[in-house]
């Protein structure tokens, strides 16, 4: 009898929960990139801060960066946990809303589009990865000298191309994997 009530409630509202929620793959890839950027930029950040603030220990600056990585990881994990709980209907999250019946499972065409976009975005991101990380280090040095005239527009453009293509690829991979899971789970 309770199963009949549950099914009638679902048809009355016309919506269903979309589980798993989109976002964990995108968040993991984004955090991984953040980690790599901080790792690559740490020596430059330490050098800049020790020149600007000579009384501050380089190890203290390194510790601050390590703590930043842990705080960002904690916030990312908690946000993704909340998203998944919202997809189950336990809590609410602005990014997770009930879907109209039948729309939480992506079509094959949408999954193939996600695959194509992930491939193109991933190739562009891979091609621009090393130059973009070098551009990040260069931008930190620009902050050190406090002179915007040393800013190289091609480096900024390359950095933008990398981050946009990376985010497009990460979202597409997330949609592909989570959409595939939804299709397998019948959601």
């Amino acid at each position: 009898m309770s199963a009949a009530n549950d099914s009638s409630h679902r048809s009355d509202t016309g919506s269903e929960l979309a589980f798993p929620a989109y976002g964990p793959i995108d968040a993991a890839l984004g955090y991984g990139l953040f980690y790599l950027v901080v790792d690559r930029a740490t020596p430059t950040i330490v050098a800049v801060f020790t020149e600007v603030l000579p009384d501050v220990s380089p190890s203290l600056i390194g510790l601050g960066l390590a703590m930043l990585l842990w705080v960002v990881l904690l916030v990312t994990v908690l946000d993704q946990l909340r998203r998944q709980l919202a997809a189950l209907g336990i809590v609410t999250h602005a990014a997770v809303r009930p879907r109209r019946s039948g729309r939480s499972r992506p079509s094959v065409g949408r999954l193939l589009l996600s695959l194509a976009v992930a491939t193109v975005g991933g190739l562009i991101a891979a091609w621009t990865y090393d130059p973009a990380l070098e551009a990040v280090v260069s931008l930190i040095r620009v902050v050190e000298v406090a002179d915007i005239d040393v800013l190289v527009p091609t480096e900024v453009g390359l950095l933008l191309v990398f981050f946009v293509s990376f985010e497009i690829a990460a979202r597409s991979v997330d949609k592909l994997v989570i959409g595939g899971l939804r299709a397998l789970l019948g959601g």
Side-chain angles (χ1 to χ4, degrees):
M1 184 162 165
S2 66
N5 288 339
D6 289 341
S7 66
S8 68
H9 174 68
R10 225 174 236 217
S11 64
D12 288 343
T13 63
S15 64
E16 61 184 29
L17 296 172
F19 182 78
Y22 288 113
I25 307 297
D26 184 19
L29 291 172
Y31 179 78
L33 177 62
F34 178 70
Y35 178 88
L36 291 173
V37 167
V38 170
D39 184 54
R40 176 84 61 100
T42 293
T44 305
I45 293 170
V46 169
V48 167
F49 271 91
T50 54
E51 284 183 25
V52 174
L53 304 168
D55 295 338
V56 177
S57 165
S59 61
L60 184 61
I61 297 167
L63 176 64
L65 290 171
M67 288 174 50
L68 175 67
L69 285 171
W70 281 106
V71 167
V72 170
L73 178 62
L74 179 66
V75 169
T76 302
V77 168
L78 289 175
D79 181 59
Q80 290 306 311
L81 180 63
R82 188 167 167 228
R83 278 178 182 253
Q84 298 308 317
L85 291 174
L88 291 170
I90 297 170
V91 299
T92 60
H93 192 288
V96 179
R97 299 175 194 202
R99 304 275 182 182
R100 288 278 172 219
S101 187
R103 290 186 57 208
S104 67
R105 188 168 30 161
S107 67
V108 172
R110 186 167 286 248
L111 290 174
L112 289 175
L113 177 64
S114 292
L115 177 63
V117 170
T119 302
V120 171
L123 287 172
I124 294 170
W127 178 62
T128 58
Y129 173 75
D130 282 326
L133 288 187
E134 291 305 317
V136 167
V137 172
S138 282
L139 289 176
I140 294 168
R141 289 189 187 114
V142 167
V143 171
E144 174 188 16
V145 295
D147 185 13
I148 197 142
D149 292 334
V150 254
L151 189 65
V152 180
T154 55
E155 284 184 347
V156 174
L158 185 67
L159 197 58
L160 288 173
V161 167
F162 169 73
F163 280 113
V164 168
S165 64
F166 179 86
E167 182 56 28
I168 288 171
R171 282 185 184 234
S172 295
V173 167
D174 187 74
K175 294 220 179 266
L176 182 66
V177 171
I178 300 300
L181 281 173
R182 285 182 179 184
L184 287 174
L185 296 173

